[in-house]
């Protein structure tokens, strides 16, 4: 599975931790940066990750910043992206089951770092439930398509 991953300076350490924790799990990470802890702007990484996911160049994406909000807002501007913030394994699971989220957003400064591997694992392994949830995702997609 190809994973597009990106962060700003505040999430750099967590991004590296994720890549290291999952390096042996048949995941191929395409790292969009940041490449260090120097101050930078989250849209510079959120948008390229979101584009890669939307174009099918990556199967899923993971974004990290301080609160997760900036990354989620920026990524969700890209047509075809459903980026969801998750702070617990249950939030991650339901973002996939009910919302078919294709980008996981993690808030580096507000998450239990010990839970991160489990959050990522659950998110990667959970499928979309479809059914009534498909109808809801279709409504979002329809609206999104009418805007452009």
């Amino acid at each position: 599975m190809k994973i597009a991953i990106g962060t700003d300076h505040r999430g750099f350490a967590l991004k590296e931790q994720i890549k290291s924790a999952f390096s042996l799990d048949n995941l191929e990470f395409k790292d969009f940066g940041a490449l260090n802890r120097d101050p930078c702007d989250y849209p510079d990484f959120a948008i390229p990750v979101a584009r890669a996911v939307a174009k099918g160049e990556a199967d899923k994406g993971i974004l990290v910043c301080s609160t997760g909000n900036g990354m989620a807002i920026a990524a969700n501007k890209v047509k075809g992206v459903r980026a969801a913030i998750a702070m617990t394994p249950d939030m991650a699971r339901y973002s996939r089951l009910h919302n078919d989220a294709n980008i996981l957003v993690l808030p580096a400064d507000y998450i239990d770092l010990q839970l991160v591997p489990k959050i990522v694992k659950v998110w990667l392994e959970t499928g979309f439930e479809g059914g009534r949830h498909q109808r809801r995702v279709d409504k979002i997609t329809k609206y999104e398509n009418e805007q452009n």
Side-chain angles (χ1 to χ4, degrees):
M1 181 184 304
K2 290 184 184 179
I3 306 296
I5 192 166
T7 183
D8 65 2
H9 56 287
R10 296 288 293 272
F12 174 77
L14 185 53
K15 175 187 65 124
E16 295 302 309
Q17 175 188 335
I18 292 166
K19 287 174 22 185
S20 177
F22 290 90
S23 64
L24 302 176
D25 289 356
N26 275 344
L27 298 178
E28 177 186 334
F29 288 99
K30 177 161 170 76
D31 192 336
F32 285 82
L35 301 178
N36 55 47
R37 290 186 170 102
D38 293 345
C40 56
D41 300 328
Y42 59 83
D44 295 340
F45 309 101
I47 292 170
V49 165
R51 283 185 178 152
V53 172
K55 290 179 182 178
E57 296 167 359
D59 299 303
K60 294 180 181 176
I62 298 174
L63 292 168
V64 187
C65 71
S66 173
T67 66
N69 289 318
M71 287 291 194
I73 290 167
N76 279 318
K77 298 295 182 186
V78 176
K79 183 177 178 178
V81 167
R82 288 174 305 282
I85 298 172
M87 296 174 63
T88 67
D90 277 346
M91 288 177 75
R93 181 178 300 108
Y94 283 106
S95 78
R96 292 285 306 129
L97 277 174
H98 292 183
N99 309 117
D100 198 18
N102 50 13
I103 296 181
L104 172 65
V105 184
L106 299 170
D109 292 348
Y110 296 92
I111 197 165
D112 180 342
L113 296 178
Q114 304 232 343
L115 282 179
V116 170
K118 185 171 183 182
I119 291 167
V120 172
K121 182 175 174 42
V122 164
W123 189 80
L124 290 171
E125 293 177 351
T126 301
F128 179 49
E129 194 171 71
R132 69 185 190 277
H133 306 294
Q134 183 64 61
R135 182 179 73 243
R136 296 164 184 163
V137 170
D138 288 346
K139 288 180 179 185
I140 294 167
T141 302
K142 181 178 184 274
Y143 177 79
E144 183 179 60
N145 289 334
E146 291 171 352
Q147 298 308 302
N148 295 326

